[in-house]
Amino acid sequence: MDEYKLQGLTCGNCAREMEEEINKLENGEGSKILYNSSKMMLSKGVDMQKVEKILSSDGAVILKEHDDAHGHDHVHTNSSTMKILLGISTIIFLAAIYVDTQWNNPVPVIMYLTAAATSGYSTFIKGVKNLLKFKFNIDTLMTIALIGAFSIGEWKEGTLVAILFGVNELLEGMGMEKARKSMEELLKVAPKEAILIDGDQERVVPISSLHAGDLVLVKSGQKIPSDGIVATGKSSVNEAAITGEAMPVEKEPNEKVFGGSINNEGVLKVRILKEYKDSSLAKILHLVEEAQETKTPTEQFINKFARYYTPLIMIISVLVMVVPPLLMNGDWGAWFYQGLAVLIVGCPCALILSSPIAIVSGIARNAKNGILIKGGVFLEQLGKIDTIAFDKTGTLTKGHPYVEQMVVYDEERFFRIAGSIEKTSSHPIAKAVMEKINDENISYTEPEEINTISGQGVSAIIDGKKFKVGNEKSIDFSLPKKHREDIQSLKDNGYTLVIVSDDEKVLGLFGITDEIREESKEIIGNLYLAGIRNTVMLTGDHNMTAEKVAKQVGLTDYYANLLPDEKVLKIKELTSQGKVAMVGDGINDAPALATADLGIAMGKGTDSAIETADIVLMQDHLGKLPSAITIAKKVNKIIKVNITLALGLKLIALLLTIPGLLTLWIAILSDMGATILVTLISLTIMLGEKRNAA
């Protein structure tokens, strides 16, 4: 399969239809158009001229390689042009209504036609082409509806339909522009180059050229290019891009490292075990791309609806025009009039508005609460969620280490020595220790000499005596039973250890953990009140820490020691049991965010998680999530009411065709009446915000 990037792909249903046409071409079987990522997977040997012709029927083109960097500029320009055209069309439409009430002449008609052409010319052109091919979709119905409305003199109605359909297309295009940009932002986190050690020489090479067995040099602050094993050197490595954990992991020879993780200090030589395309980070990025192409139940319903709705309306209209005159000696002119009225009734204006206005109102109200929802389908999904899965670090916890437990054996020297040594370090754990020591108002002694011992900690000479601050590996003497028991107790309770010692004994212990957000427990309780049945934590941390956090905040379940692909599998397992939302803030969460029915990111998390997610909590906490769910449930309820009203009024109007009582005025009233009702009902969503503000 050859992969191509597309530009101008703005309609999911059209993408499906073009894919079907390409599959009918010689050698075209198996070709795919990926609407969400705006890509095309094309089988070998397909006639490219025919493919380009099919794409051009919906305004899509293959993006050339040299135009790739400007792809989003083109999309942005197109949406800006569409906004301008819709604005001009609306102004002309409103002016035509005013002129229509003042003078009885052809000027208003010309203005209505101008407004309709300005906003709906692309739909009309597509619809005419579809009619010539006997291809029936929403564009075809809209075109016939416009012709029908104008042919019976309903200029205002036809123009309004054209404008509203243009707005709908604009909103869809803008949503997809954001979704596609998120994919490109995610890809930027991948390392681009590596320092390859070739004999006695070092040279910078693209990571795509690395092979298993190559030896690379990774300096302090650089990304490890692919999964491998440490050949020489010791350092702490930030694996947050893979595991999501804030705590750096100490690495020494023969220990494995992940591609995409960052070397904090020192120099490492890493033996590559996998090509980058097979690395953990590459798999994460692939999982995100794959998950974004998975169709939601809502998308599947829309595709099926689009296949049957338009032909059904057209068939009913033709039957109304033809059957009574042929079988019941009806008047051809009268029943043709009735058939045109059916087209007006069949105009999907109220149906189109039954959902968007309610959704826009819900999105606007949530935006005022600091919750960014990227599209209507995500708001609808939020109202259906019954299970929420949380990442731990940075979501339920604050995402930075702090001292929660201490065991002090030598009060006189413990804080003073620890502070004197750790104040010189920028290591996250050192900062956590210093925050605790600063609370004690301890005066420090300036070290006479200080050395970093990779993989162990730091040693220093203070007042002529050697001291160490580090992990268990920094201790090179026998410990008393009490000390061993205290160390084991802290480890069993999920703490990272910092041991302060001299050459003969331990002065004390710091138990480091990630601080739980103060609001987490209350928010979890509020989520249950909002109708959420299950709250689950998915974390790469070890079991004791996970259990501790889950109990403290009141979660129904937790799963520990999970890598990103294992989080994805767990999300898939949960989605088989209900509607699942995933809340996270790191790139390691991105595949799970994309795989879940709904992805929710913390506002100050990584760009990849935010861009991949469907909903962003801008306050960087979960405080407003319960209210967002309540609003979403109200939106879903109103959408159901709106659809019932829109279809119900149209059904009543259609039933009037049986005795031949349907008139254009009744047809227009059923459509416009339904439109007004669904609009007013949808706007009630905003009333709650006004009452809250009052």
Side-chain angles (χ1 to χ4, degrees):
M1 287 273 185
D2 294 324
E3 182 179 298
Y4 300 87
K5 295 195 73 172
L6 301 180
Q7 177 191 322
L9 197 63
T10 59
C11 169
N13 187 52
C14 301
R16 176 187 58 78
E17 291 177 343
M18 288 190 294
E19 180 183 297
E20 290 175 355
E21 287 190 43
I22 292 173
N23 273 272
K24 292 176 184 177
L25 297 176
E26 185 178 355
N27 300 319
E29 299 86 352
S31 298
K32 290 183 179 180
I33 292 181
L34 308 178
Y35 175 57
N36 289 349
S37 54
S38 196
K39 291 182 179 179
M40 177 174 62
M41 309 301 295
L42 207 58
S43 301
K44 302 282 186 181
V46 183
D47 189 326
M48 288 302 297
Q49 288 187 338
K50 291 182 179 179
V51 170
E52 290 177 351
K53 186 177 180 180
I54 291 171
L55 293 173
S56 66
S57 68
D58 194 58
V61 296
I62 296 174
L63 196 63
K64 304 301 180 185
E65 190 172 341
H66 66 274
D67 290 332
D68 187 55
H70 307 287
H72 283 302
D73 293 336
H74 297 326
V75 176
H76 178 71
T77 301
N78 290 339
S79 67
S80 297
T81 302
M82 199 167 182
K83 288 178 187 176
I84 293 170
L85 291 176
L86 285 169
I88 293 171
S89 181
T90 302
I91 292 170
I92 296 173
F93 175 65
L94 294 174
I97 294 175
Y98 174 76
V99 173
D100 205 5
T101 60
Q102 302 299 317
W103 299 285
N104 184 18
N105 58 44
V107 174
V109 173
I110 296 172
M111 294 175 72
Y112 283 131
L113 286 172
T114 302
T118 303
S119 62
Y121 73 93
S122 61
T123 299
F124 184 79
I125 291 171
K126 291 177 190 175
V128 170
K129 288 181 178 178
N130 289 340
L131 277 173
L132 294 175
K133 298 177 183 176
F134 294 99
K135 175 182 172 183
F136 301 110
N137 59 17
I138 294 296
D139 288 327
T140 313
L141 178 60
M142 292 301 300
T143 300
I144 295 173
L146 286 174
I147 295 172
F150 291 150
S151 68
I152 56 178
E154 291 301 327
W155 312 104
K156 188 187 301 183
E157 173 74 7
T159 304
L160 180 60
V161 167
I163 292 173
L164 290 173
F165 192 68
V167 171
N168 184 61
E169 283 195 318
L170 175 65
L171 292 175
E172 184 178 359
M174 289 173 65
M176 286 316 303
E177 177 187 351
K178 187 70 175 176
R180 289 161 189 158
K181 186 179 178 182
S182 72
M183 185 66 69
E184 294 186 3
E185 289 295 321
L186 181 63
L187 294 173
K188 289 179 182 178
V189 305
K192 302 294 187 297
E193 296 176 329
I195 302 174
L196 177 66
I197 300 175
D198 187 4
D200 296 330
Q201 296 183 337
E202 298 174 3
R203 53 192 175 90
V204 177
V205 299
I207 61 168
S208 58
S209 68
L210 294 178
H211 299 91
D214 285 346
L215 187 66
V216 297
L217 183 71
V218 185
K219 298 178 182 179
S220 176
Q222 290 184 338
K223 292 179 181 177
I224 295 169
S226 188
D227 294 356
I229 189 168
V230 177
T232 62
K234 294 182 180 180
S235 180
S236 68
V237 173
N238 181 353
E239 295 183 342
I242 307 300
T243 67
E245 296 309 308
M247 295 290 184
V249 181
E250 299 293 339
K251 298 293 182 179
E252 55 186 37
N254 298 318
E255 290 191 344
K256 289 185 178 180
V257 288
F258 294 114
S261 53
I262 300 171
N263 180 18
N264 283 335
E265 74 270 341
V267 177
L268 294 176
K269 289 184 179 179
V270 176
R271 183 73 63 184
I272 299 299
L273 295 178
K274 300 176 182 176
E275 293 184 17
Y276 172 72
K277 65 180 181 180
D278 298 320
S279 70
S280 300
L281 182 61
K283 287 179 180 178
I284 291 173
L285 302 181
H286 175 72
L287 284 169
V288 174
E289 189 169 23
E290 189 178 68
Q292 287 202 356
E293 290 304 329
T294 303
K295 297 294 183 184
T296 65
T298 303
E299 288 176 307
Q300 292 170 354
F301 171 77
I302 289 172
N303 285 341
K304 184 176 287 188
F305 182 81
R307 287 180 180 179
Y308 299 110
Y309 175 74
T310 304
L312 179 63
I313 291 298
M314 294 184 66
I315 289 170
I316 292 174
S317 177
V318 171
L319 290 175
V320 169
M321 291 179 181
V322 175
V323 172
L326 287 179
L327 302 182
M328 296 178 285
N329 296 319
D331 180 73
W332 282 97
W335 284 104
F336 182 76
Y337 177 88
Q338 291 272 303
L340 290 178
V342 168
L343 280 175
I344 298 295
V345 173
C347 205
C349 186
L351 278 173
I352 288 172
L353 290 177
S354 62
S355 175
I357 293 180
I359 286 171
V360 169
S361 298
I363 290 174
R365 184 171 171 190
N366 276 308
K368 291 180 180 179
N369 289 335
I371 298 173
L372 176 63
I373 299 177
K374 294 184 178 179
V377 65
F378 308 129
L379 184 66
E380 287 188 52
Q381 284 287 79
L382 184 61
K384 299 174 183 177
I385 294 299
D386 54 34
T387 299
I388 299 183
F390 299 92
D391 175 50
K392 178 181 73 70
T393 305
T395 304
L396 296 171
T397 65
K398 292 184 176 180
H400 64 268
Y402 87 109
V403 176
E404 184 171 87
Q405 289 285 336
M406 293 187 302
V407 180
V408 182
Y409 305 122
D410 187 332
E411 292 187 11
E412 181 182 347
R413 296 188 295 169
F414 176 58
F415 289 112
R416 180 172 64 86
I417 297 301
S420 298
I421 295 176
E422 295 288 60
K423 70 177 182 178
T424 62
S425 175
S426 60
H427 196 286
I429 291 179
K431 290 181 179 179
V433 170
M434 288 308 300
E435 285 179 9
K436 184 64 178 178
I437 293 175
N438 289 335
D439 292 341
E440 302 292 331
N441 295 316
I442 302 296
S443 59
Y444 312 125
T445 301
E446 196 67 31
E448 299 161 21
E449 181 184 322
I450 190 163
N451 295 294
T452 298
I453 306 173
S454 183
Q456 295 184 15
V458 181
S459 68
I461 304 297
I462 300 175
D463 297 332
K465 188 174 177 63
K466 186 177 180 180
F467 295 92
K468 293 180 183 178
V469 175
N471 54 30
E472 285 182 272
K473 296 177 183 178
S474 67
I475 303 299
D476 53 9
F477 51 84
S478 298
L479 294 173
K481 182 180 178 182
K482 177 68 167 63
H483 291 187
R484 292 198 304 270
E485 289 175 348
D486 290 339
I487 288 172
Q488 190 60 46
S489 176
L490 289 173
K491 289 169 64 178
D492 288 344
N493 283 285
Y495 294 111
T496 297
L497 283 178
V498 173
I499 304 174
V500 183
S501 68
D502 58 21
D503 280 338
E504 300 173 348
K505 63 180 180 179
V506 174
L507 308 181
L509 311 171
F510 290 103
I512 311 290
T513 189
D514 189 5
E515 187 175 1
I516 295 174
R517 293 174 182 266
E518 296 87 351
E519 71 275 7
S520 291
K521 184 175 182 179
E522 180 182 357
I523 290 165
I524 297 300
N526 290 336
L527 287 173
Y528 295 137
L529 294 176
I532 300 300
R533 293 190 292 107
N534 301 307
T535 55
V536 180
M537 181 172 67
L538 308 179
T539 179
D541 214 333
H542 53 78
N543 194 70
M544 292 301 297
T545 300
E547 182 181 14
K548 177 182 175 183
V549 174
K551 285 182 178 179
Q552 287 189 13
V553 301
L555 302 177
T556 55
D557 211 344
Y558 69 91
Y559 301 93
N561 298 308
L562 299 178
L563 288 172
D565 56 341
E566 293 171 324
K567 286 186 179 183
V568 170
L569 291 175
K570 188 57 65 176
I571 286 290
K572 288 181 177 179
E573 180 183 322
L574 292 170
T575 53
S576 68
Q577 302 165 11
K579 293 288 183 182
V580 179
M582 173 69 190
V583 184
D585 75 331
I587 181 178
N588 64 292
D589 302 318
L593 289 172
T595 303
D597 295 307
L598 198 66
I600 304 174
M602 308 295 289
K604 293 183 181 178
T606 63
D607 290 341
S608 58
I610 292 173
E611 294 295 338
T612 305
D614 309 313
I615 296 175
V616 181
L617 308 178
M618 301 304 290
Q619 309 95 342
D620 196 33
H621 62 72
L622 303 172
K624 298 295 179 68
L625 184 57
S627 66
I629 292 171
T630 301
I631 293 169
K633 287 182 180 294
K634 182 177 181 181
V635 168
N636 284 352
K637 184 177 180 181
I638 284 177
I639 289 173
K640 289 178 182 177
V641 171
N642 286 346
I643 291 173
T644 302
L645 278 171
L647 291 177
L649 288 174
K650 289 178 182 294
L651 180 60
I652 292 171
L654 288 173
L655 289 175
L656 290 176
T657 60
I658 296 174
L661 298 177
L662 180 63
T663 66
L664 289 176
W665 291 108
I666 293 176
I668 293 169
L669 186 62
S670 70
D671 187 57
M672 294 306 296
T675 300
I676 292 169
L677 281 174
V678 300
T679 301
L680 292 176
I681 293 171
S682 297
L683 290 175
T684 61
I685 295 167
M686 296 299 292
L687 295 179
E689 179 64 30
K690 292 179 180 178
R691 284 197 295 269
N692 291 341

